[in-house]
Short mmCIF file of all heavy atoms in Angstrom, two decimals:
data_model
loop_
_atom_site.label_atom_id
_atom_site.label_comp_id
_atom_site.label_asym_id
_atom_site.label_seq_id
_atom_site.Cartn_x
_atom_site.Cartn_y
_atom_site.Cartn_z
N LEU G 323 24.91 43.14 199.58
CA LEU G 323 25.40 42.60 198.30
C LEU G 323 24.49 41.49 197.80
O LEU G 323 24.26 41.38 196.58
CB LEU G 323 26.83 42.07 198.47
CG LEU G 323 27.89 43.15 198.66
CD1 LEU G 323 29.23 42.51 199.02
CD2 LEU G 323 28.01 44.03 197.43
N MET G 324 23.95 40.69 198.70
CA MET G 324 23.02 39.63 198.29
C MET G 324 21.78 40.25 197.64
O MET G 324 21.31 39.79 196.61
CB MET G 324 22.62 38.77 199.49
CG MET G 324 21.68 37.62 199.14
SD MET G 324 21.33 36.53 200.53
CE MET G 324 20.30 37.58 201.54
N ARG G 325 21.30 41.30 198.24
CA ARG G 325 20.12 42.00 197.70
C ARG G 325 20.45 42.62 196.34
O ARG G 325 19.62 42.63 195.43
CB ARG G 325 19.67 43.07 198.70
CG ARG G 325 18.41 43.79 198.32
CD ARG G 325 18.03 44.88 199.32
NE ARG G 325 19.08 45.87 199.49
CZ ARG G 325 19.82 46.03 200.59
NH1 ARG G 325 19.62 45.29 201.65
NH2 ARG G 325 20.76 46.96 200.65
N ASP G 326 21.69 43.13 196.19
CA ASP G 326 22.08 43.82 194.95
C ASP G 326 22.56 42.86 193.86
O ASP G 326 22.72 43.28 192.71
CB ASP G 326 23.22 44.81 195.24
CG ASP G 326 22.80 45.95 196.14
OD1 ASP G 326 21.58 46.14 196.36
OD2 ASP G 326 23.71 46.64 196.66
N GLU G 327 22.80 41.60 194.20
CA GLU G 327 23.44 40.68 193.25
C GLU G 327 22.71 40.55 191.91
O GLU G 327 23.36 40.60 190.85
CB GLU G 327 23.63 39.30 193.87
CG GLU G 327 24.44 38.38 193.01
CD GLU G 327 24.88 37.13 193.74
OE1 GLU G 327 25.13 37.18 194.96
OE2 GLU G 327 24.97 36.09 193.06
N PRO G 328 21.39 40.41 191.87
CA PRO G 328 20.73 40.31 190.55
C PRO G 328 21.01 41.53 189.67
O PRO G 328 21.25 41.38 188.47
CB PRO G 328 19.24 40.19 190.90
CG PRO G 328 19.23 39.59 192.27
CD PRO G 328 20.42 40.20 192.97
N GLU G 329 21.03 42.71 190.25
CA GLU G 329 21.33 43.92 189.47
C GLU G 329 22.79 43.93 189.02
O GLU G 329 23.10 44.33 187.90
CB GLU G 329 21.02 45.18 190.27
CG GLU G 329 21.34 46.47 189.54
CD GLU G 329 20.69 46.58 188.15
OE1 GLU G 329 19.56 46.11 187.96
OE2 GLU G 329 21.35 47.13 187.25
N LEU G 330 23.69 43.49 189.87
CA LEU G 330 25.10 43.41 189.48
C LEU G 330 25.28 42.46 188.30
O LEU G 330 25.99 42.78 187.34
CB LEU G 330 25.96 42.95 190.66
CG LEU G 330 26.14 43.96 191.79
CD1 LEU G 330 26.81 43.30 192.99
CD2 LEU G 330 26.94 45.16 191.32
N ILE G 331 24.63 41.31 188.37
CA ILE G 331 24.74 40.33 187.27
C ILE G 331 24.18 40.93 185.98
O ILE G 331 24.77 40.77 184.91
CB ILE G 331 24.03 39.02 187.65
CG1 ILE G 331 24.66 38.46 188.89
CG2 ILE G 331 23.97 38.06 186.46
CD1 ILE G 331 25.25 37.15 188.92
N ARG G 332 23.07 41.65 186.08
CA ARG G 332 22.51 42.31 184.90
C ARG G 332 23.51 43.32 184.33
O ARG G 332 23.72 43.40 183.13
CB ARG G 332 21.19 43.02 185.23
CG ARG G 332 19.97 42.13 185.09
CD ARG G 332 18.68 42.92 185.18
NE ARG G 332 18.42 43.50 186.49
CZ ARG G 332 17.97 42.82 187.54
NH1 ARG G 332 17.71 41.54 187.44
NH2 ARG G 332 17.76 43.41 188.69
N ARG G 333 24.13 44.11 185.22
CA ARG G 333 25.10 45.11 184.77
C ARG G 333 26.30 44.43 184.10
O ARG G 333 26.76 44.86 183.04
CB ARG G 333 25.56 45.97 185.94
CG ARG G 333 26.41 47.15 185.49
CD ARG G 333 26.77 48.07 186.63
NE ARG G 333 27.92 47.49 187.29
CZ ARG G 333 28.19 47.62 188.57
NH1 ARG G 333 27.39 48.29 189.36
NH2 ARG G 333 29.27 47.07 189.10
N TRP G 334 26.81 43.36 184.71
CA TRP G 334 27.97 42.67 184.14
C TRP G 334 27.63 42.02 182.80
O TRP G 334 28.43 42.06 181.88
CB TRP G 334 28.51 41.64 185.12
CG TRP G 334 29.05 42.23 186.39
CD1 TRP G 334 29.62 43.46 186.54
CD2 TRP G 334 29.06 41.63 187.67
NE1 TRP G 334 29.99 43.65 187.85
CE2 TRP G 334 29.65 42.55 188.57
CE3 TRP G 334 28.62 40.40 188.17
CZ2 TRP G 334 29.83 42.27 189.91
CZ3 TRP G 334 28.80 40.13 189.50
CH2 TRP G 334 29.39 41.05 190.37
N THR G 335 26.45 41.44 182.69
CA THR G 335 26.09 40.79 181.43
C THR G 335 25.81 41.85 180.35
O THR G 335 26.17 41.65 179.20
CB THR G 335 24.89 39.83 181.59
OG1 THR G 335 23.79 40.52 182.15
CG2 THR G 335 25.26 38.66 182.47
N THR G 336 25.23 42.96 180.73
CA THR G 336 25.04 44.06 179.78
C THR G 336 26.39 44.58 179.30
O THR G 336 26.54 44.97 178.15
CB THR G 336 24.23 45.20 180.43
OG1 THR G 336 22.95 44.69 180.80
CG2 THR G 336 24.05 46.38 179.48
N GLY G 337 27.38 44.53 180.19
CA GLY G 337 28.74 44.98 179.84
C GLY G 337 29.55 43.99 179.04
O GLY G 337 30.68 44.27 178.66
N GLY G 338 28.98 42.81 178.78
CA GLY G 338 29.68 41.87 177.92
C GLY G 338 30.00 40.51 178.51
O GLY G 338 30.55 39.65 177.82
N CYS G 339 29.68 40.28 179.77
CA CYS G 339 29.95 38.97 180.38
C CYS G 339 28.86 37.96 180.00
O CYS G 339 27.70 38.34 179.85
CB CYS G 339 29.97 39.08 181.90
SG CYS G 339 31.41 39.87 182.57
N ARG G 340 29.27 36.71 179.90
CA ARG G 340 28.31 35.62 179.73
C ARG G 340 28.05 35.02 181.09
O ARG G 340 29.00 34.60 181.75
CB ARG G 340 28.87 34.53 178.81
CG ARG G 340 29.04 34.94 177.40
CD ARG G 340 29.42 33.78 176.48
NE ARG G 340 30.61 33.07 176.92
CZ ARG G 340 30.72 31.74 176.94
NH1 ARG G 340 29.72 30.97 176.56
NH2 ARG G 340 31.85 31.16 177.32
N PRO G 341 26.80 34.98 181.54
CA PRO G 341 26.53 34.36 182.84
C PRO G 341 26.60 32.84 182.72
O PRO G 341 25.91 32.24 181.90
CB PRO G 341 25.11 34.83 183.17
CG PRO G 341 24.49 35.13 181.84
CD PRO G 341 25.61 35.54 180.92
N LEU G 342 27.47 32.22 183.52
CA LEU G 342 27.64 30.77 183.49
C LEU G 342 27.74 30.21 184.90
O LEU G 342 28.24 30.88 185.80
CB LEU G 342 28.93 30.41 182.73
CG LEU G 342 29.03 30.76 181.26
CD1 LEU G 342 30.42 30.42 180.73
CD2 LEU G 342 27.97 30.05 180.46
N SER G 343 27.31 28.98 185.04
CA SER G 343 27.54 28.26 186.29
C SER G 343 29.04 27.98 186.39
O SER G 343 29.78 28.08 185.40
CB SER G 343 26.77 26.94 186.30
OG SER G 343 27.33 26.05 185.33
N VAL G 344 29.49 27.58 187.57
CA VAL G 344 30.90 27.27 187.75
C VAL G 344 31.32 26.15 186.79
O VAL G 344 32.36 26.24 186.13
CB VAL G 344 31.19 26.91 189.22
CG1 VAL G 344 32.61 26.39 189.38
CG2 VAL G 344 30.96 28.12 190.13
N ALA G 345 30.52 25.10 186.71
CA ALA G 345 30.86 23.97 185.83
C ALA G 345 30.94 24.40 184.37
O ALA G 345 31.87 24.01 183.64
CB ALA G 345 29.84 22.85 186.00
N ASN G 346 30.00 25.22 183.92
CA ASN G 346 30.02 25.67 182.52
C ASN G 346 31.18 26.63 182.26
O ASN G 346 31.76 26.64 181.17
CB ASN G 346 28.69 26.31 182.14
CG ASN G 346 27.59 25.28 181.98
OD1 ASN G 346 27.84 24.10 181.77
ND2 ASN G 346 26.36 25.73 182.12
N ALA G 347 31.53 27.43 183.26
CA ALA G 347 32.68 28.33 183.11
C ALA G 347 33.97 27.53 182.99
O ALA G 347 34.83 27.84 182.16
CB ALA G 347 32.76 29.30 184.29
N GLU G 348 34.11 26.50 183.81
CA GLU G 348 35.29 25.64 183.71
C GLU G 348 35.39 25.01 182.32
O GLU G 348 36.47 24.96 181.73
CB GLU G 348 35.26 24.56 184.79
CG GLU G 348 35.52 25.09 186.18
CD GLU G 348 35.32 24.05 187.27
OE1 GLU G 348 34.77 22.96 187.00
OE2 GLU G 348 35.72 24.34 188.41
N ALA G 349 34.27 24.54 181.80
CA ALA G 349 34.25 23.94 180.46
C ALA G 349 34.63 24.98 179.40
O ALA G 349 35.38 24.67 178.46
CB ALA G 349 32.88 23.34 180.16
N ALA G 350 34.14 26.20 179.54
CA ALA G 350 34.46 27.26 178.57
C ALA G 350 35.95 27.59 178.60
O ALA G 350 36.57 27.80 177.55
CB ALA G 350 33.63 28.51 178.87
N ILE G 351 36.54 27.62 179.78
CA ILE G 351 37.97 27.92 179.90
C ILE G 351 38.79 26.79 179.29
O ILE G 351 39.75 27.03 178.56
CB ILE G 351 38.35 28.18 181.37
CG1 ILE G 351 37.71 29.49 181.84
CG2 ILE G 351 39.87 28.22 181.54
CD1 ILE G 351 37.73 29.69 183.34
N LEU G 352 38.40 25.56 179.55
CA LEU G 352 39.10 24.43 178.95
C LEU G 352 38.99 24.46 177.43
O LEU G 352 39.96 24.18 176.71
CB LEU G 352 38.57 23.11 179.50
CG LEU G 352 39.01 22.77 180.92
CD1 LEU G 352 38.29 21.52 181.41
CD2 LEU G 352 40.51 22.59 180.99
N ALA G 353 37.82 24.84 176.92
CA ALA G 353 37.64 24.93 175.46
C ALA G 353 38.57 26.00 174.88
O ALA G 353 39.14 25.80 173.80
CB ALA G 353 36.19 25.23 175.12
N LEU G 354 38.75 27.11 175.57
CA LEU G 354 39.67 28.15 175.11
C LEU G 354 41.10 27.60 175.06
O LEU G 354 41.84 27.89 174.12
CB LEU G 354 39.66 29.36 176.06
CG LEU G 354 38.49 30.31 175.94
CD1 LEU G 354 38.56 31.34 177.05
CD2 LEU G 354 38.50 30.99 174.59
N ARG G 355 41.45 26.87 176.06
CA ARG G 355 42.81 26.34 176.12
C ARG G 355 43.08 25.40 174.95
O ARG G 355 44.17 25.42 174.38
CB ARG G 355 43.04 25.62 177.44
CG ARG G 355 44.47 25.19 177.61
CD ARG G 355 44.79 24.94 179.04
NE ARG G 355 46.21 24.84 179.17
CZ ARG G 355 46.81 23.98 179.94
NH1 ARG G 355 46.09 23.17 180.68
NH2 ARG G 355 48.11 23.93 180.00
N TRP G 356 42.10 24.60 174.60
CA TRP G 356 42.31 23.67 173.49
C TRP G 356 42.34 24.38 172.16
O TRP G 356 42.95 23.90 171.21
CB TRP G 356 41.22 22.58 173.50
CG TRP G 356 41.38 21.68 174.68
CD1 TRP G 356 40.53 21.53 175.72
CD2 TRP G 356 42.48 20.80 174.96
NE1 TRP G 356 41.02 20.63 176.63
CE2 TRP G 356 42.23 20.17 176.19
CE3 TRP G 356 43.68 20.51 174.30
CZ2 TRP G 356 43.10 19.26 176.76
CZ3 TRP G 356 44.56 19.60 174.88
CH2 TRP G 356 44.25 18.99 176.09
#
């Protein structure tokens, strides 16, 4: 899975996910809540 992770992230982002660090994801979720 470690070897495959870059490809998984590419697949997920191509599918519509925004790649974010944990801190940035927390900020994005808080922004949605507000």
Side-chain angles (χ1 to χ4, degrees):
L323 289 172
M324 181 175 71
R325 185 182 58 249
D326 295 346
E327 188 168 328
E329 178 54 35
L330 289 170
I331 301 238
R332 272 190 293 283
R333 189 175 82 210
W334 295 330
T335 55
T336 299
C339 287
R340 292 188 305 136
L342 296 175
S343 68
V344 172
N346 288 338
E348 288 173 349
I351 292 166
L352 285 173
L354 283 173
R355 187 160 193 220
W356 292 115

